[in-house]
Amino acid sequence: MDVLIPADAIQERVRNLAEEIRESFPPGAPITVIGVLTGSIIFLTDLIRQLNLPLRIGLIQASSYRGQATVPGKLYIHDEMLPDVRGRHLLLLDDILDTGQTLTRVVDHLRECGAVSVRTCVLLRKIGRQSVPFEPDFCGFPIPDKFVVGYGLDFNDDYRHLPFIGILPDDTNV
Ligand code: 5GP
Ligand code: MG
C-alpha cells in the first residue's frame, strides 16, 4: 500500500494542532471533546493527550459508508453515547472531511442538544470533494481525492490500526 502520510508526520501535526486548539479556548471553559465513531478514535486518543486541558469525552456515531462501499450512502446519526452537552464548549473531531455532509449534520445536532459552542477539527480534508459549504476550524492535512485508510480510517472495517495514512489500492477486494 502506498503511504500518503507517514506515522511520524501525523504525530508531529497532532502536536501542533493540539497547541492551536488549546489557544482557541477561553481559559477555564468547560470543554467536551466529541469523537465521531468509529474513524476518529485513534485521532481522539492521541490529540487529547497533547491538549493539556481539563476535558470530558463524548462519542457520537455517524456513518455513511456501509461495508465495502467506497461511495457514501444514507447518513445515520446515533447519540446514545453522548453525554449532556448543555452549557459546554465542544470540540468535534472527525477523521476526514469529504463532502461535508456528516459534519454539517452532526454540528446541527449538537447545537440542538444545547452546546454553547461547537468547534470542529478534522485530521484530513479531501480537496475538491465538498458538496455543502462547511469550514472546519482546524484541519490536519489537505489530501487528494483518493480513498485512504489507516489511523482510524477503514475499508470494510479493516486497516484502522495502521499507524500511517495509506492509499487503498484500486484493486482491493476483501
Ligand atoms: P462526508 O460526510 O464529509 O462526505 O464524509 C465523511 C465520512 O466519510 C468520514 O467520517 C469517513 O468515515 C468517510 N470517508 C470519506 N472519505 C473517506 C476515505 O477516503 N476513506 C475512508 N476510510 N473513509 C472516508
Ligand atoms: Mg466517519
Side-chain angles (χ1 to χ4, degrees):
M1 185 180 305
D2 287 339
V3 175
L4 182 66
I5 309 172
D8 54 353
I10 299 175
Q11 294 305 322
E12 191 187 337
R13 186 69 186 114
V14 168
R15 275 195 298 276
N16 299 338
L17 275 175
E19 213 171 300
E20 283 177 46
I21 291 167
R22 183 173 51 247
E23 286 166 4
S24 81
F25 282 103
I31 294 164
T32 304
V33 178
I34 309 282
V36 180
L37 288 173
T38 306
S40 73
I41 57 169
I42 313 274
F43 183 36
L44 181 142
T45 53
D46 278 352
L47 186 78
I48 57 172
R49 285 177 292 173
Q50 302 285 339
L51 263 182
N52 204 14
L53 285 173
L55 55 85
R56 294 180 186 167
I57 298 170
L59 297 167
I60 194 163
Q61 189 181 17
S63 88
S64 56
Y65 288 85
R66 320 304 296 173
Q68 299 187 18
T70 55
V71 288
K74 185 174 161 28
L75 185 72
Y76 300 84
I77 293 185
H78 302 279
D79 67 358
E80 295 82 3
M81 283 171 285
L82 193 69
D84 188 357
V85 297
R86 284 173 297 177
R88 307 218 30 118
H89 295 270
L90 308 188
L91 175 67
L92 177 63
L93 301 182
D94 205 358
D95 48 4
I96 186 166
L97 180 70
D98 185 23
T99 65
Q101 305 273 1
T102 303
L103 284 179
T104 302
R105 287 271 311 275
V106 176
V107 167
D108 285 350
H109 188 82
L110 293 171
R111 288 193 204 285
E112 282 163 19
C113 291
V116 180
S117 69
V118 185
R119 287 176 177 71
T120 53
C121 176
V122 293
L123 179 71
L124 308 173
R125 178 181 198 170
K126 259 190 213 176
I127 298 307
R129 286 273 308 161
Q130 247 178 276
S131 63
V132 289
F134 181 91
E135 272 309 305
D137 297 288
F138 308 96
C139 171
F141 301 92
I143 63 161
D145 184 8
K146 303 278 184 196
F147 194 83
V148 292
V149 295
Y151 200 73
L153 292 116
D154 74 307
F155 172 67
N156 198 21
D157 264 327
D158 285 322
Y159 306 111
R160 293 193 196 275
H161 62 288
L162 299 176
F164 57 85
I165 300 287
I167 298 177
L168 192 74
D170 283 340
D171 60 354
T172 300
N173 281 306
V174 184

